[in-house]
Amino acid sequence: MFKYFLLKILFFIPLISLSQDLITNTFNRDTKSLNGTWHYIVDPYETGYYNYRYKPYDQLKENNNSAFYNNYHTDNKMALVEYDFDKSPTLTVPGDWNSQAEKLFYYEGTIWYKRSFDYTTTSKSNRQFIYFGAINYKAEVYLNGIKLGTHEGGFTPFNFEITSIVKPTDNYLVIKVDNKRFKEAIPTINTDWWNYGGITRDVKIIEEPATFIQDYFIQLKKDSPKIISGSIQLNNSTKKEKITLSIPELKINQELITNENGIAVFEIVSKKINYWSPNSPKLYDVYIKTEYQTLKDEIGFRTIETNGPDILLNGKSIFLRGICIHEENAMRGARAYNDADALVALTWAKELGCNYVRLAHYPHNEYMVKLADKMGIMVWEEIPVYWTVDFTNKNSLDNAKNQLTEAITRDKNRASIIIWSMANETPPSTPRNVFLKELILHTKSMDSSRLISAALEKHYKDGFNIVDDEIGNYLDIVAFNQYTGWYGGSLENAPDMKWDIKFNKPVVISEFGGGALQGLHGTIDERWTEEYQEYLYQQNLKMIEKIPNIRGTSPWILNDFRSPKRVLPVIQDGWNRKGLISNHGIKKKAFFTVKDFYNKIEKQYR
Ligand code: GCU
């Protein structure tokens, strides 16, 4: 029997649930970045977390915690210590671990991260929070030997209060990250993208006054283009507080008073709004001022609605000239995570002639949606309820709802986001419909200002392509993926295919396309050549523009991307080759087919 040496315990405080409601707009707050070099320990057997009876150390009653979250230093030569962060290798944060070390390329499991830091507060009365842009997939977070909490979900932010724990020097932050896939997770086990693990987005400490502006929603009131409405939430307000909401360019300087819950709601009439749109992505400086702080944001105002088959942006019918994007810098073969990565992707989208992007298949980092606001690119944002999720599992539903909550909380003030999507290619069934309807209700309860969709599928019967998925009745936009000419169907006949779509709603082709190895040339009859992909796009676009109620498309996909399902030697080698651009940033012939099509469509919708 293994006898673990009882380590001298600095002190062990049982798990305290310190998780806080999400703090938004962290870019404009008083923060200290913890990005940089962190030590790590690969722990495939989770030795640092479970004792030999497979009990988590941080939930044991007796004071025994040889887990890896105590940075234990001792002069006792007899001490049994079988780890040492400071002598362990390092990873860069943010960033997935798979692309940073050859031995981690396909690693799925637990890795422990550790970072030491000093912290000087600007005022004794202030409070401190530690904020994570995202960690894939599950994180256990410890600071100075105290467990702050757990987070599940690989693509949305979370924070914990650390006011009573953080010290002026030698704080040690330890995080157990586990990216193992499992059936009940969101996404579930089977996906067509690589399951990058790690602290994949920014880490920062946020310093706030005792009573601070935690969150706010400032957008146009639904169906009221002259009314700016919303709410402001203070954290730890012990009395009614005065708030000033000002938008100088609109000559708005509104005094508000919070209610007993620290919330102030408002509706402000403004007749001179310069509405946000792709051609004019106007963002207003917005200031929220309390007795204790002033917080600035840049917010665009626009209306988005549907009317029969039309999608109306600021009352005008539009066509979504889109492209799908994974959160990956293909040239690095790694998770994208910063402004530079976002600029590469959205600049390519603009070159393609896009006014819209589908951020697949999960919420992307905040740089992407903030840049989309600035560049005038409309956004479809989705959570990874993808393929065969465990629709009968309440934990899976709660997890999906939580990921929606965190995504909507973070991004609800971004004018560029016009669609929240619930799912991708999920197999119709009663449990699946119940699950998705729950997500739709939850989304509407949080944000009734945006459109709701999901990437459905079509089926073929008696010469017709049919879209009759019941969940379409609950969506604002009927979107579906179709791969004519790649996963079956004749390209030659594509332009004459017949469609039967059972809804009088806007139709968006949320995915179509086919693979090509950039630089491989041949005839249009040779799969994997650029010529085949180009012909596939030519024929699909001729078909698409004839589909009833068509109001947009987002071909699959901007870039080649990593997928362990794509193993054809020489051609795929672990990459999904459906990109219009290769993983070396080289545009394939089909890129220009789409560009020409969007150029034509743009003129039709002027
Ligand atoms: C599906 C799926 C994508 C996948 C693509 C493909 O439609 O939504 O995630 O990568 O098809 O097969 O390449």
Side-chain angles (χ1 to χ4, degrees):
M1 180 181 86
F2 276 101
K3 177 101 183 79
Y4 272 89
F5 179 87
L6 272 184
L7 294 171
K8 179 166 56 87
I9 306 301
L10 302 176
F11 55 87
F12 175 68
I13 296 178
L15 176 65
I16 303 171
S17 172
L18 297 175
S19 60
Q20 291 288 327
D21 293 335
L22 190 60
I23 297 173
T24 54
N25 185 11
T26 64
F27 290 88
N28 292 312
R29 292 178 186 268
D30 176 7
T31 60
K32 171 188 171 90
S33 173
L34 293 185
N35 291 352
T37 302
W38 294 45
H39 287 281
Y40 76 96
I41 296 171
V42 184
D43 185 9
Y45 285 24
E46 298 179 278
T47 307
Y49 188 71
Y50 295 105
N51 68 8
Y52 78 119
R53 295 298 187 216
Y54 210 62
K55 298 281 185 221
Y57 283 107
D58 65 14
Q59 289 151 42
L60 295 180
K61 289 186 180 43
E62 67 273 16
N63 254 353
N64 162 0
N65 66 343
S66 67
F68 290 175
Y69 49 77
N70 262 343
N71 211 8
Y72 184 83
H73 292 296
T74 174
D75 299 330
N76 174 353
K77 299 282 181 265
M78 274 302 290
L80 171 59
V81 179
E82 296 181 279
Y83 69 95
D84 185 323
F85 276 113
D86 295 335
K87 293 194 178 107
S88 299
T90 61
L91 284 170
T92 301
V93 167
D96 65 272
W97 63 57
N98 309 90
S99 62
Q100 294 193 52
E102 186 59 34
K103 67 179 182 179
L104 300 177
F105 185 72
Y106 272 154
Y107 179 71
E108 292 182 292
T110 284
I111 283 187
W112 293 82
Y113 284 79
K114 178 259 181 181
R115 164 81 203 249
S116 294
F117 65 93
D118 298 340
Y119 190 79
T120 307
T121 177
T122 49
S123 158
K124 282 204 179 333
S125 64
N126 282 354
R127 297 163 66 191
Q128 292 80 33
F129 299 80
I130 189 156
Y131 174 94
F132 301 92
I135 293 183
N136 190 51
Y137 169 80
K138 187 170 184 183
E140 319 279 344
V141 183
Y142 307 84
L143 180 63
N144 298 337
I146 294 171
K147 183 157 193 182
L148 302 182
T150 297
H151 183 268
E152 182 174 342
F155 304 98
T156 48
F158 58 101
N159 45 245
F160 298 109
E161 183 158 10
I162 58 171
T163 309
S164 60
I165 304 166
V166 69
K167 307 180 293 181
T169 60
D170 196 26
N171 291 282
Y172 54 90
L173 174 63
V174 171
I175 303 170
K176 178 184 183 288
V177 178
D178 183 354
N179 75 329
K180 273 193 304 297
R181 289 165 289 121
F182 56 99
K183 179 174 174 293
E184 301 76 13
I186 302 288
T188 185
I189 284 179
N190 185 26
T191 66
D192 185 26
W193 72 82
W194 172 241
N195 171 40
Y196 288 106
I199 303 176
T200 48
R201 295 180 192 165
D202 292 336
V203 181
K204 55 186 93 169
I205 292 179
I206 304 173
E207 174 133 347
E208 294 290 348
T211 298
F212 67 92
I213 302 161
Q214 178 183 307
D215 187 15
Y216 50 90
F217 190 16
I218 305 174
Q219 288 283 283
L220 287 178
K221 184 178 178 184
K222 186 145 182 80
D223 306 326
S224 307
K226 303 282 186 203
I227 298 178
I228 294 173
S229 73
S231 61
I232 299 168
Q233 165 83 62
L234 300 189
N235 181 296
N236 186 36
S237 68
T238 53
K239 60 184 170 57
K240 293 200 175 202
E241 301 274 359
K242 190 177 83 172
I243 296 177
T244 304
L245 172 61
S246 61
I247 309 177
E249 269 196 84
L250 295 175
K251 297 188 177 21
I252 290 173
N253 200 43
Q254 182 82 31
E255 285 211 359
L256 308 166
I257 299 293
T258 61
N259 64 17
E260 62 284 357
N261 299 317
I263 297 173
V265 296
F266 55 87
E267 289 192 359
I268 304 169
V269 175
S270 179
K271 296 196 179 351
K272 297 194 230 31
I273 298 170
N274 176 355
Y275 294 109
W276 183 95
S277 73
N279 294 330
S280 168
K282 170 68 182 172
L283 299 177
Y284 285 94
D285 288 345
V286 177
Y287 299 87
I288 303 169
K289 188 175 180 310
T290 69
E291 182 185 339
Y292 319 99
Q293 73 184 121
T294 297
L295 187 58
K296 179 188 175 190
D297 202 342
E298 296 174 307
I299 297 178
F301 300 104
R302 53 103 189 96
T303 63
I304 189 74
E305 57 204 323
T306 63
N307 179 17
D310 289 327
I311 300 171
L312 304 174
L313 176 72
N314 302 321
K316 185 175 178 303
S317 177
I318 59 170
F319 188 96
L320 301 178
R321 308 190 309 270
I323 189 72
C324 288
I325 301 177
H326 257 305
E327 187 184 48
E328 186 179 277
N329 177 314
M331 280 75 73
R332 285 204 314 268
R335 274 275 171 251
Y337 57 75
N338 61 18
D339 220 2
D341 291 336
L343 188 60
V344 167
L346 295 183
T347 302
W348 273 334
K350 277 278 190 182
E351 283 179 36
L352 191 59
C354 295
N355 62 359
Y356 161 75
V357 290
R358 176 187 176 200
L359 300 186
H361 281 296
Y362 35 74
H364 288 210
N365 63 73
E366 198 168 3
Y367 294 101
M368 275 296 269
V369 292
K370 286 174 73 74
L371 188 56
D373 258 16
K374 289 193 174 76
M375 292 177 70
I377 297 176
M378 293 176 283
V379 172
W380 156 310
E381 184 164 325
E382 65 187 71
I383 56 169
V385 172
Y386 180 96
W387 289 355
T388 53
V389 155
D390 187 353
F391 294 110
T392 59
N393 187 305
K394 171 101 176 42
N395 292 337
S396 304
L397 175 61
D398 290 346
N399 183 344
K401 279 183 179 176
N402 185 58
Q403 292 189 37
L404 264 176
T405 300
E406 291 173 345
I408 295 171
T409 301
R410 187 192 76 179
D411 294 341
K412 59 189 176 297
N413 292 312
R414 304 280 73 83
S416 52
I417 298 174
I418 59 168
I419 297 167
W420 299 120
S421 175
M422 305 295 107
N424 180 75
E425 294 190 351
T426 52
S429 71
T430 301
R432 171 269 207 167
N433 291 346
V434 169
F435 192 101
L436 296 191
K437 280 185 231 173
E438 279 277 337
L439 296 185
I440 291 168
L441 281 175
H442 182 70
T443 301
K444 287 181 183 248
S445 72
M446 287 195 70
D447 175 8
S448 63
S449 73
R450 290 178 171 86
L451 304 177
I452 288 181
S453 191
L456 308 175
E457 292 181 297
K458 55 116 180 161
H459 59 95
Y460 187 79
K461 190 176 175 197
D462 301 336
F464 278 86
N465 287 292
I466 300 167
V467 180
D468 59 0
D469 189 323
E470 188 211 326
I471 213 69
N473 292 305
Y474 303 91
L475 304 177
D476 296 308
I477 291 178
V478 172
F480 61 91
N481 301 343
Q482 66 84 30
Y483 279 89
T484 301
W486 188 259
Y487 295 124
S490 150
L491 278 182
E492 193 182 348
N493 304 329
D496 302 319
M497 289 176 92
K498 292 181 282 187
W499 291 84
D500 180 6
I501 298 170
K502 304 290 188 188
F503 311 95
N504 181 30
K505 297 181 176 181
V507 168
V508 169
I509 310 297
S510 35
E511 285 180 37
F512 77 94
L517 178 66
Q518 187 278 322
L520 180 64
H521 294 287
T523 69
I524 62 170
D525 304 314
E526 290 175 282
R527 195 185 282 261
W528 302 115
T529 63
E530 286 198 44
E531 285 69 22
Y532 182 86
Q533 188 190 43
E534 180 186 44
Y535 178 62
L536 180 146
Y537 268 84
Q538 289 164 347
Q539 294 300 93
N540 269 273
L541 289 170
K542 285 175 193 164
M543 171 182 75
I544 287 168
E545 63 182 337
K546 293 157 70 176
I547 291 177
N549 292 0
I550 188 71
R551 292 294 184 276
T553 183
S554 47
W556 189 260
I557 186 169
L558 182 65
N559 272 106
D560 292 350
F561 63 95
R562 284 202 186 287
S563 169
K565 298 170 79 78
R566 310 299 178 173
V567 295
L568 180 62
V570 180
I571 299 290
Q572 295 178 315
D573 294 324
W575 290 86
N576 183 312
R577 294 293 184 197
K578 296 190 182 68
L580 293 176
I581 301 174
S582 76
N583 58 303
H584 299 293
I586 301 170
K587 298 179 178 75
K588 303 173 192 175
K589 295 177 80 169
F591 179 96
F592 302 97
T593 306
V594 175
K595 184 179 173 71
D596 291 346
F597 176 73
Y598 283 166
N599 192 27
K600 180 178 82 171
I601 289 286
E602 192 271 334
K603 291 186 172 70
Q604 288 172 5
Y605 275 79
R606 267 189 192 156

